[in-house]
């Protein structure tokens, strides 16, 4: 057998090999969709192939001019990645991968990394469909990641490529949503139960935490809650910051009525195990098909605390609200009972963030070694499948990192582009396993350049929080595990003489917040001993201590080479970038699982020669 024939056979094997990815052609249905502007002129559909790391967009705009779609960042449009296209009056199409060199000027990329799948125009719409890699080797292209993505959409009234700020829109979207609701089962015997506050007069205060205690559905046998969604009055949507449902221990003595959750009566802060939660920007959430919240057995909670955080910044009088959470439950049982573990920085009274900080990091440590003792029964390995991130307005990024036997194991979840206005429950692409003895660290990144006084941890939107809720199975009795630094040590490092934590917090107010002192405070908070507070559903509390471990940044994955592509210096290694997917006659992407075998047996040069010989585009 000649080498050429052997090459051909190996290549055919590679191309014929089935792929586990979701290959998307020009007629494939795109599962996700959203309007990108308030007037519903710009409509986006998208879908992605996690294995091939390719995302496909379809932008439909009410215009007969040009359209553009790309990715930008939080602070400036300069450097934004923008793919533009349109149909000329003579029917010819134009399409280009570009970027913004300033706020208004477009320039074509040297590397064209977007692949056109369709571009049409009729009397009403211009529709552009294209695919692009999650990460190209072009430094002008923004990465598509599991973070919140700021999607930039723009258009013109004719075919003159000129940005108009009135027709340019930016929307935060979590593009890589792993599970689509259509992929999940909806039981035929579904029952709906609403947990809500009825006709509540919202106080004329900036911040109100309203709490009441409500019974869960009364059922004669075990059922599972499998979905929840917010119930919001349309005219009050902007005033409702978050809604949480806490499970109460069956031994708890609960008050009646509605009151301030964290006010004069401490009984209204009872029950601390979150079972479902919604925050600004979130929508409904359905659990995976194998998990649910158990109700109806002697071990299950019978009552919950409903907490609604209102932000009435305009101090509007006479506003009544009936918001809450709608639960969907079924007698068709799932395999696992789920729980929620709250991690992060213990909010009050130790948490502080200096003013004028370009960047300030806060940490909250959790040590799981006492979980079994506090649970009162063996604790199986915790399987995490989803998460909800939460800070207030100064938050810029969060992550939860897992350690085992003193070594960093994985980043469970993160968002380096956190948006306060898009807080939603997200699924992990895998199940992250936590074993007893593991340590969990939450890191929150803040920016306070617009503030001239200290920001303290607290319930108000203008205060701060640093929380991550992990959705997991099988359920145990641990509700939260949170940490905070030794504030006496921090105060001493900042040159303040104090003898107790309260004095320490008061002394923080005396510090002049120069850039040097901001960094000194951040360093002291990280180096201080962490006090770890663990709490159960029955309000049992146990304290322990620990130290903040170092976080090793996760390396970026390889970029995808394109025709005429540029390779970044950090990618110039044998495994630093990967070849573009081999195109078949159609729009599908061929599997490359066996192509490395060719390179392994005969060298990378042989592979390149082989592909060129067979006229397969790379």
């Amino acid at each position: 057998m000649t080498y050429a024939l052997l090459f051909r056979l190996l290549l055919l094997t590679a191309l014929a090999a089935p792929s586990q990815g979701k290959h998307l052609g020009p007629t494939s249905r795109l599962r996700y969709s959203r309007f990108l502007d308030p007037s519903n002129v710009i409509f986006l559909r998208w879908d992605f192939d996690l294995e091939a790391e390719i995302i496909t967009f379809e932008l439909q705009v009410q215009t007969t001019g040009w359209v553009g779609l790309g990715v930008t960042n939080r602070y400036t449009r300069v450097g934004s990645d923008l793919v533009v296209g349109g149909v000329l009056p003579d029917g010819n199409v134009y399409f280009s991968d570009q970027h913004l060199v300033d706020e208004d000027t477009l320039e074509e990329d040297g590397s064209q990394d977007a692949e056109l799948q369709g571009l049409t125009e009729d009397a009403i719409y211009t529709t552009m469909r294209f695919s692009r890699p999650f990460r190209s080797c072009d430094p002008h292209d923004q990465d598509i990641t599991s973070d919140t993505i700021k999607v930039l959409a723009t258009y013109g009234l004719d075919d003159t490529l000129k940005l108009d700020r009135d027709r340019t829109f930016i929307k935060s979207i979590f593009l890589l949503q792993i599970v689509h609701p259509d992929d999940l089962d909806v039981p035929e015997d579904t029952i709906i139960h609403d947990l809500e506050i009825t006709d509540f007069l919202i106080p004329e205060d900036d911040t109100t935490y309203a709490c009441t205690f409500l019974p869960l559905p009364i059922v004669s046998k075990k059922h599972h809650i499998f979905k929840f969604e917010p119930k919001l009055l349309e005219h009050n949507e902007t005033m409702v910051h978050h809604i949480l449902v806490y499970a109460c221990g069956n031994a708890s003595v609960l008050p009646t009525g509605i009151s301030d959750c964290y006010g004069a009566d401490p009984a209204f802060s009872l029950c601390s195990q979150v079972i479902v939660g919604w925050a600004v920007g979130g929508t409904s959430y359905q659990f995976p098909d194998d998990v649910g919240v158990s109700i109806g057995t002697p071990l299950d909670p019978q009552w919950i605390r409903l907490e609604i955080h209102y932000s009435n910044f305009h101090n509007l009088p006479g506003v009544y609200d009936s918001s809450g959470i709608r639960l969907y439950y079924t007698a068709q049982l799932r395999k696992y009972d789920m729980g929620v573990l709250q991690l992060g920085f213990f909010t009050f009274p130790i948490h502080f963030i200096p003013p004028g900080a370009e960047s300030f990091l806060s940490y909250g440590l959790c040590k799981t070694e006492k979980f079994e003792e506090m649970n009162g029964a063996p604790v199986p390995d915790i399987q995490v499948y989803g998460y909800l991130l939460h800070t207030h307005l100064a938050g810029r990024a969060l992550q939860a990192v897992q350690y085992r036997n003193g070594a960093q194991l994985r980043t469970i979840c993160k968002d380096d582009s956190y948006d306060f206005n898009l807080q939603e429950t997200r699924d992990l692409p895998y199940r992250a396993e936590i074993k007893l003895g593991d340590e969990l660290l939450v890191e929150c990144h803040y920016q306070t350049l617009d503030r001239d006084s200290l920001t303290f941890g607290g319930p108000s939107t203008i205060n701060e929080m640093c929380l991550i809720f992990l959705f997991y199975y099988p359920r145990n009795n641990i509700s939260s595990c949170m940490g905070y630094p030794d504030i006496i040590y921090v105060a001493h490092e900042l040159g303040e003489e104090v003898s107790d934590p309260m004095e320490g917090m008061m002394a923080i107010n005396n510090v002049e917040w120069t850039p040097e002192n901001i960094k000194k405070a951040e360093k002291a908070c990280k180096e201080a001993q962490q006090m770890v507070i663990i709490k159960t559903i029955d309000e049992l509390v146990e304290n322990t201590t620990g130290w903040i471990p170092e976080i090793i940044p996760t390396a970026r994955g390889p970029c995808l080479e394109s025709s005429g592509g540029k390779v970044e210096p950090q990618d110039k290694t044998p495994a630093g970038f990967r070849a573009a997917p081999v195109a078949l006659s159609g729009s599908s992407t061929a599997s490359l699982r066996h192509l490395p075998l060719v390179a392994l047996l005969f060298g990378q040069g042989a592979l390149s020669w082989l592909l060129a010989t067979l006229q397969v585009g790379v």
Side-chain angles (χ1 to χ4, degrees):
M1 181 182 293
T2 67
Y3 281 130
L5 180 58
L6 179 57
F7 283 157
R8 186 177 293 271
L9 289 173
L10 283 169
L11 179 64
L12 290 174
T13 300
L15 296 181
S19 169
Q20 297 175 352
K22 179 181 176 60
H23 299 317
L24 301 166
T27 59
S28 301
R29 183 179 75 90
L30 305 182
R31 295 176 298 164
Y32 304 97
S33 62
R34 195 153 305 174
F35 282 104
L36 301 183
D37 67 308
S39 301
N40 293 348
V41 170
I42 305 175
F43 187 62
L44 177 66
R45 294 184 179 91
W46 77 94
D47 211 332
F48 51 89
D49 181 341
L50 273 180
E51 182 182 280
E53 296 186 0
I54 298 288
I55 189 165
T56 299
F57 294 106
E58 184 177 277
L59 184 69
Q60 184 180 71
V61 186
Q62 292 181 35
T63 185
T64 54
W66 69 277
V67 299
L69 182 76
V71 177
T72 187
N73 66 54
R74 184 184 201 106
Y75 305 105
T76 177
R77 294 192 310 187
V78 176
S80 297
D81 168 19
L82 193 68
V83 174
V84 300
V87 181
L88 294 169
D90 62 6
N92 288 319
V93 303
Y94 54 95
F95 176 78
S96 179
D97 182 5
Q98 306 203 9
H99 63 277
L100 272 71
V101 293
D102 58 36
E103 287 285 336
D104 303 299
T105 307
L106 284 167
E107 182 177 285
E108 187 169 86
D109 292 1
S111 171
Q112 293 294 297
D113 300 283
E115 179 184 342
L116 180 63
Q117 293 188 351
L119 222 172
T120 61
E121 180 185 294
D122 58 26
I124 301 174
Y125 298 107
T126 296
T127 304
M128 178 175 68
R129 180 166 172 145
F130 67 93
S131 63
R132 56 150 290 181
F134 287 2
R135 180 172 181 236
S136 78
C137 297
D138 182 353
H140 290 303
D141 289 344
Q142 305 279 345
D143 291 354
I144 302 294
T145 67
S146 58
D147 302 318
T148 297
I149 301 295
K150 288 201 170 293
V151 175
L152 172 68
T154 185
Y155 67 98
L157 300 180
D158 56 30
D159 293 305
T160 304
L161 286 178
K162 184 178 180 181
L163 288 180
D164 184 327
R165 298 192 181 200
D166 292 336
R167 289 189 288 274
T168 300
F169 303 90
I170 297 172
K171 192 175 187 69
S172 291
I173 303 178
F174 179 54
L175 290 174
L176 302 186
Q177 180 181 341
I178 301 301
V179 180
H180 190 279
D182 291 348
D183 301 332
L184 300 171
D185 295 332
V186 178
E188 294 181 357
D189 66 343
T190 296
I191 307 167
I192 292 174
H193 183 81
D194 290 336
L195 302 168
E196 60 189 358
I197 291 177
T198 305
D199 294 328
F200 175 69
L201 178 60
I202 301 175
E204 298 173 36
D205 301 323
D206 290 351
T207 299
T208 299
Y209 274 72
C211 276
T212 191
F213 295 86
L214 301 169
L216 284 168
I218 299 174
V219 289
S220 58
K221 62 179 183 179
K222 180 171 180 172
H223 286 62
H224 269 137
I225 298 168
F226 67 90
K227 178 182 175 180
F228 66 88
E229 65 187 18
K231 283 196 68 182
L232 302 172
L233 295 185
E234 186 173 347
H235 61 282
N236 292 346
E237 282 181 339
T238 59
M239 299 177 70
V240 181
H241 171 277
H242 76 240
I243 306 173
L244 291 173
V245 176
Y246 297 88
C248 297
N250 291 334
S252 304
V253 178
L254 307 175
T256 58
I258 303 173
S259 187
D260 186 344
C261 305
Y262 307 105
D265 187 349
F268 279 88
S269 64
L270 288 173
C271 312
S272 58
Q273 187 172 60
V274 174
I275 54 173
V276 298
W278 170 91
V280 175
T283 55
S284 63
Y285 178 72
Q286 185 167 333
F287 305 129
D289 289 337
D290 56 348
V291 300
V293 177
S294 177
I295 56 173
T297 80
L299 296 177
D300 296 328
Q302 299 173 20
W303 286 76
I304 59 91
R305 172 166 65 95
L306 179 66
E307 172 184 297
I308 303 182
H309 174 188
Y310 294 100
S311 294
N312 187 1
F313 286 128
H314 298 293
N315 308 119
L316 299 176
V319 180
Y320 286 85
D321 187 61
S322 298
S323 293
I325 291 284
R326 170 163 289 179
L327 304 177
Y328 294 78
Y329 65 100
T330 175
Q332 297 182 34
L333 299 182
R334 273 95 191 290
K335 186 174 182 180
Y336 302 109
D337 297 340
M338 61 148 288
V340 180
L341 177 63
Q342 180 176 327
L343 306 174
F345 196 118
F346 196 77
T347 301
F348 185 80
I350 300 299
H351 197 189
F352 73 90
I353 303 156
E358 173 72 34
S359 171
F360 190 83
L361 300 176
S362 294
Y363 298 91
L365 180 67
C366 168
K367 300 184 69 170
T368 65
E369 58 194 22
K370 292 193 174 185
F371 276 18
E372 193 157 277
E373 172 190 337
M374 296 187 67
N375 189 57
V379 175
D381 292 341
I382 295 170
Q383 308 292 332
V384 180
Y385 66 85
Y387 61 96
L388 173 66
L389 311 176
H390 183 67
T391 75
H392 289 170
L393 297 172
R396 296 293 181 266
L398 303 86
Q399 64 175 325
V401 183
Q402 181 182 5
Y403 299 82
R404 182 171 297 159
N405 299 323
Q408 183 172 321
L409 184 63
R410 64 166 66 92
T411 298
I412 296 176
C413 57
K414 74 174 185 68
D415 191 342
D416 286 335
S417 303
Y418 174 81
D419 188 335
F420 171 82
N421 293 305
L422 185 65
Q423 301 181 52
E424 55 190 353
T425 303
R426 299 175 176 178
D427 295 293
L428 290 175
Y430 60 90
R431 305 285 167 98
E433 184 175 81
I434 300 172
K435 294 181 175 292
L436 286 184
D438 287 355
E439 292 188 351
L440 308 171
L441 179 65
V442 172
E443 177 190 74
C444 291
H445 177 191
Y446 300 97
Q447 187 183 83
T448 57
L449 291 174
D450 58 342
R451 305 189 183 194
D452 55 13
S453 60
L454 276 167
T455 299
F456 290 102
S460 171
T461 306
I462 60 173
N463 295 138
E464 264 310 330
M465 291 186 173
C466 174
L467 303 175
I468 294 182
F469 299 91
L470 298 183
F471 290 69
Y472 73 90
Y473 64 86
R475 180 186 71 186
N476 58 54
N477 290 325
I478 308 300
S479 60
S480 64
C481 181
M482 306 174 72
Y484 64 90
D486 177 359
I487 195 64
I488 298 176
Y489 173 86
V490 174
H492 286 169
E493 291 297 297
L494 291 169
E496 301 291 331
E497 290 301 321
V498 299
S499 57
D500 61 58
M502 193 55 63
E503 278 188 11
M505 285 305 295
M506 293 176 64
I508 296 299
N509 279 301
N510 300 329
V511 176
E512 180 184 356
W513 291 110
T514 62
E516 180 184 9
N517 281 338
I518 290 171
K519 285 302 175 187
K520 189 180 291 185
E522 179 183 271
K523 183 173 183 286
C525 288
K526 185 176 181 181
E527 293 178 347
Q529 188 176 51
Q530 279 263 317
M531 312 300 168
V532 181
I533 302 176
I534 307 168
K535 200 171 185 179
T536 72
I537 187 174
D538 295 311
E539 307 298 323
L540 297 176
V541 178
E542 186 78 40
N543 296 340
T544 185
T545 59
W547 303 92
I548 300 296
E550 286 296 323
I551 296 177
I552 302 171
T554 303
R556 294 200 301 174
C559 62
L560 187 67
E561 185 184 25
S562 64
S563 56
K566 302 171 184 175
V567 180
E568 299 172 73
Q570 61 265 40
D571 296 318
K572 290 182 178 177
T573 63
F577 65 95
R578 51 199 183 90
V582 178
L584 294 177
S585 58
S587 58
S588 298
T589 301
S591 169
L592 297 176
R593 291 189 303 159
H594 292 72
L595 288 180
L597 177 61
V598 180
L600 179 64
L601 292 175
F602 303 104
Q604 184 68 37
L607 175 58
S608 300
W609 174 87
L610 169 64
L611 295 174
T613 300
L614 295 174
Q615 296 183 332
V616 178
V618 177

